Amino acid sequence: MNDQTVAPEPRFRIRARYTDTTVTVYQAYRPQIGLPAARTGRFPSSWKRERMTWIKPSFLWMMYRCGWGTKPDQESVLAVEITREGFEWALRHACLSHHVPGLHGDREAWQRQLRQAPARVQWDPERDLHFTALPHRSLQLGLGGQAAARYADEWIVGIEDVTPLAAEIHAHVRAGELDAASAKLPEERPYPADGDVLAHLCA
């Protein structure tokens, strides 16, 4: 009998595909944006940098959000490799998208912080292959203003169209082949964020 038990996943932890210098995040767009972005490694001029753009380190949460790339205007699923330096800059300068008295004080102070922050964070339930909500949370990082401009112009190392991968995994799930589906998922490991990176974003 194996006495070893697996420790439960912490409620707040970033899990991502990363290297020593980069981290991969996911987005989904209409093909008119997604296809040229993957082809050139940069977002086309039709990509509106003045709007907040949300990036997700979790492949499965992105699949939940875009319905495996089947939802309207989310048919092109992109894996965007960005610098860890930029990713962590955004986290350090982010504000939680909801008010937590223990972190922000009164609601007015939080609202001021939210207006001034170039990035915001939401922690939504992580999903499994059937999109069932899990007890632990998945990071969604919204980039606006200065953060969105830096993302588009400075942080991106490469963009890959992973729509075919999404379709392949989805086909395995529909066929009930969950082991085959799991084997195709990008490997996501706990991201080694220093304490000051997430301390103001976990509550």
Side-chain angles (χ1 to χ4, degrees):
M1 181 176 178
N2 189 351
D3 292 331
Q4 292 184 340
T5 57
V6 178
E9 182 70 22
R11 182 173 173 82
F12 299 106
R13 180 160 72 177
I14 300 172
R15 293 163 302 279
R17 177 182 171 191
Y18 63 89
T19 69
D20 289 343
T21 57
T22 66
V23 58
T24 297
V25 295
Y26 298 95
Q27 296 192 286
Y29 289 100
R30 65 183 189 274
Q32 293 88 337
I33 290 179
L35 295 179
R39 185 171 60 249
T40 65
R42 286 290 180 268
F43 288 111
S45 58
S46 56
W47 186 82
K48 299 186 184 304
R49 62 182 58 224
E50 66 272 13
R51 294 177 57 183
M52 180 158 288
T53 188
W54 289 86
I55 59 177
K56 299 108 177 150
S58 167
F59 180 85
L60 274 178
W61 204 94
M62 184 72 258
M63 295 305 97
Y64 163 71
R65 180 68 178 84
C66 72
W68 299 105
T70 64
K71 291 184 179 179
D73 295 330
Q74 298 186 65
E75 300 94 341
S76 289
V77 184
L78 303 179
V80 185
E81 190 177 14
I82 64 175
T83 65
R84 284 175 58 168
E85 181 181 7
F87 181 63
E88 293 180 16
W89 182 94
L91 290 171
R92 285 191 172 95
H93 291 83
C95 177
L96 273 177
S97 61
H98 64 281
H99 176 237
V100 177
L103 287 177
H104 305 121
D106 60 39
R107 182 169 291 274
E108 289 73 21
W110 163 72
Q111 290 175 334
R112 285 194 302 271
Q113 184 179 343
L114 189 66
R115 284 194 299 268
Q116 296 167 359
R120 62 185 57 178
V121 159
Q122 292 180 188
W123 294 97
D124 296 307
E126 183 59 284
R127 303 286 163 162
D128 65 12
L129 284 165
H130 291 299
F131 296 158
T132 303
L134 300 176
H136 53 278
R137 299 282 166 152
S138 180
L139 175 82
Q140 323 303 323
L141 179 58
L143 307 175
Q146 181 186 8
R150 289 191 177 198
Y151 172 63
D153 299 332
E154 302 174 18
W155 300 344
I156 294 176
V157 175
I159 302 177
E160 179 185 1
D161 183 353
V162 292
T163 311
L165 176 64
E168 182 180 6
I169 297 174
H170 187 201
H172 284 305
V173 173
R174 290 201 312 269
E177 301 163 352
L178 299 188
D179 287 345
S182 295
K184 293 287 184 179
L185 291 173
E187 181 187 1
E188 294 171 1
R189 300 172 289 148
Y191 185 84
D194 293 336
D196 66 321
V197 174
L198 290 181
H200 62 300
L201 301 172
C202 296

